[in-house]
Amino acid sequence: MSWSTRESSRATREVSFNGIVRRMVNLPRSIAGGFCRVMGHGIGRIGIGGRRDQNPIPNFPLQPPQEPLIAPEEWTFLSVFEQQYGSTHPFFYACQFMEALKTAEDEHKFMFMYLHSPQHPFTPSFCWETLCSELVVQFLNANFVCWGALADRGEGLQMAVTLQPASFPCCAVIAPAAGNSIAVLQQMEGPISPAELVEILQRTVEEQGLAFGNSRAKEEETTRAKAIEEERKRARAKEEEKMRADRQLREEQDAAYLAALKIDKEKEKLTSLLPERKFQKPADSSNKANYEKLRQDASQKQFGKSKEASTVRETANGSKDAQATRILIRFPNGERKEQSFSCSDKIQSVYRYIDSLGLPGVGNYRLISSFPRRVYSVDQMGITLKDAGLHPKATLFLELL
C-alpha cells in the first residue's frame, strides 16, 4: 500500500526543519468560535527544539467561512462507523474538534484526526485492515487523543476544506497553535498498512514530542522560578520590615535615654542653686554648726545624683557596644566596606546591606569567611550573626557566582 502527504495550498503552508514537517492552517470560523471558551488560557505554538513563537510561521487566508452548524453532530461519525465496522476501533472522543484538541493539550499528547469518507473505494480496506487492527488501536489509544468526523458534513467537512486532501481516507497529527490556528505535524492520505501507519506516527512522536515536552518543561521551570522569586521578595520585605521596626525601637530608646539625661541635668542644676537660696550664712555663731551641716548634706546629695547619672550613661553605652557586631566586607575589586549590625541580626541583613549599595558588576554572589573558611549562602540566611560566629567582629569576602 502507499500513502501521501499533501503539498501546501491557499490555506496552508509547509515548512521543513531537519526532516520535521510542519504546516500551519487557520481554522474555519465556526470551529474557531469555541476557541476562546475551550482554549481561552492561550496555547503558544510548539516550536522546533522546545521554543515557542520565536520564529512565527505566517498564516494564510482562510477558505470562505462555512455556515454555522444547526445542530451538533458529535455522535454521527461513531454511529456511522460502528454500524459498518463494529466497536473495535481506536477510542474516538465524541465531542467537538476544539474540545478534543483541549483534551490532548491537557494530557500532553498530540491529536490523531481521521476524516471518514464512506463512499470512497479505499475506505473499507483502510478501516477493516488498518484502523481497526489491534496494533493500530493499541498504539493510538496509548499515545494520542483520537477524533473522527465525516468528511461530507459538519466539522469534518470544514476540516476537509481546510486541509484539502487529494484522496481518502485522510489522517492527520494535530497540535494546538497560537490564535485560531493549528499545527499539522503529519498528514496521511490514501491506503496504508498498519505497520506503515504506526511507523509514521512513531516517527512523528519522536521528532515532535521532544519539542512538545521541552516546551512544557520550560513553562513549568519558569513558573517555579517565578514562585521562588516571589517567595524571596516576601522574605526580603519581611526582613526589611523587621529592620525598620528594630531601628525605630533603637531610636525610641535613644530618645528616652537623652530625655532622661536632660531631666537629670536640670535636677542637678536646681540642686546646685538650692544651697545658695535656702542655706545662706547666718549672722550669729549659734546657727553656724547647723548651716555647715545642711550645706554638707546638700553637696553630698548633689554628688550622689551626678555619680548615679554617670553610671547610667556608662551602663547604657557598654550594653549597646556589647550588642554591636562590626562586619568588614571585601569586594572583588579590592574595595572595602565596614558596617555595624546587631548581634541578633541575621546573615540576610548583611546581604540586604550589600544590595543597598548598588555596586556595579555585583549580581549573584555569596559571602565567605576565611579563617575558618565558611560559606554563608541562601541556606544560612536565617542564622544570626552571633550564632554564625561573626560577633563581635569579622571579615567577609564577596565571591561572585
Side-chain angles (χ1 to χ4, degrees), residues 176-198:
N180 295 342
S181 301
I182 57 173
V184 181
L185 307 182
Q186 187 66 265
Q187 183 170 332
M188 296 153 286
E189 303 167 4
I192 182 174
S193 69
E196 287 176 325
L197 179 60
V198 170

Side-chain angles (χ1 to χ4, degrees), residues 144-315:
F144 291 87
V145 170
C146 300
W147 181 84
L150 296 175
D152 59 352
R153 68 184 71 178
E155 290 188 333
L157 175 59
Q158 296 175 57
M159 292 306 300
V161 172
T162 301
L163 298 182
Q164 296 184 357
S167 179
F168 287 95
C170 176
C171 305
V173 179
I174 305 295
N180 295 342
S181 301
I182 57 173
V184 181
L185 307 182
Q186 187 66 265
Q187 183 170 332
M188 296 153 286
E189 303 167 4
I192 182 174
S193 69
E196 287 176 325
L197 179 60
V198 170
E199 180 183 357
I200 295 169
L201 295 177
Q202 180 67 42
R203 185 171 63 250
T204 303
V205 170
E206 292 174 353
E207 292 173 345
Q208 301 286 359
L210 181 60
F212 188 79
N214 286 346
S215 179
R216 295 291 173 192
K218 186 176 181 181
E219 284 186 354
E220 294 175 358
E221 182 180 354
T222 302
T223 301
R224 287 195 298 268
K226 289 182 179 179
I228 293 174
E229 182 63 24
E230 290 296 328
E231 182 65 25
R232 185 175 182 182
K233 287 181 179 179
R234 286 193 293 269
R236 183 183 304 173
K238 186 176 180 181
E239 182 65 23
E240 290 177 352
E241 180 64 25
K242 182 180 181 301
M243 292 176 61
R244 285 194 295 268
D246 292 343
R247 183 168 57 251
Q248 182 178 359
L249 179 61
R250 288 195 295 268
E251 291 175 353
E252 292 175 354
Q253 291 175 344
D254 292 343
Y257 170 76
L258 293 176
L261 188 62
K262 183 178 180 181
I263 292 175
D264 290 342
K265 287 183 178 180
E266 292 178 352
K267 288 182 178 180
E268 290 176 6
K269 184 177 181 180
L270 291 176
T271 304
S272 63
L273 296 176
L274 187 62
E276 297 179 3
R277 294 199 305 266
K278 290 188 176 181
F279 305 108
Q280 294 180 357
K281 186 176 180 180
D284 55 341
S285 59
S286 61
N287 294 328
K288 183 175 181 181
N290 293 333
Y291 165 77
E292 291 294 333
K293 183 178 180 180
L294 291 173
R295 190 179 62 160
Q296 290 176 359
D297 291 341
S299 298
Q300 290 176 357
K301 185 177 181 180
Q302 178 181 358
F303 174 77
K305 288 185 177 182
S306 299
K307 184 176 181 181
E308 181 180 356
S310 175
T311 302
V312 170
R313 288 194 299 271
E314 291 176 0
T315 301

Side-chain angles (χ1 to χ4, degrees), residues 38-51:
V38 181
M39 311 288 284
H41 63 286
I43 303 173
R45 174 162 53 250
I46 305 171
I48 304 301
R51 294 181 172 84

Side-chain angles (χ1 to χ4, degrees), residues 62-80:
L62 289 171
Q63 292 289 335
Q66 304 293 324
E67 292 297 326
L69 295 176
I70 298 176
E73 299 183 0
E74 291 85 353
W75 293 93
T76 305
F77 161 72
L78 281 177
S79 177
V80 172

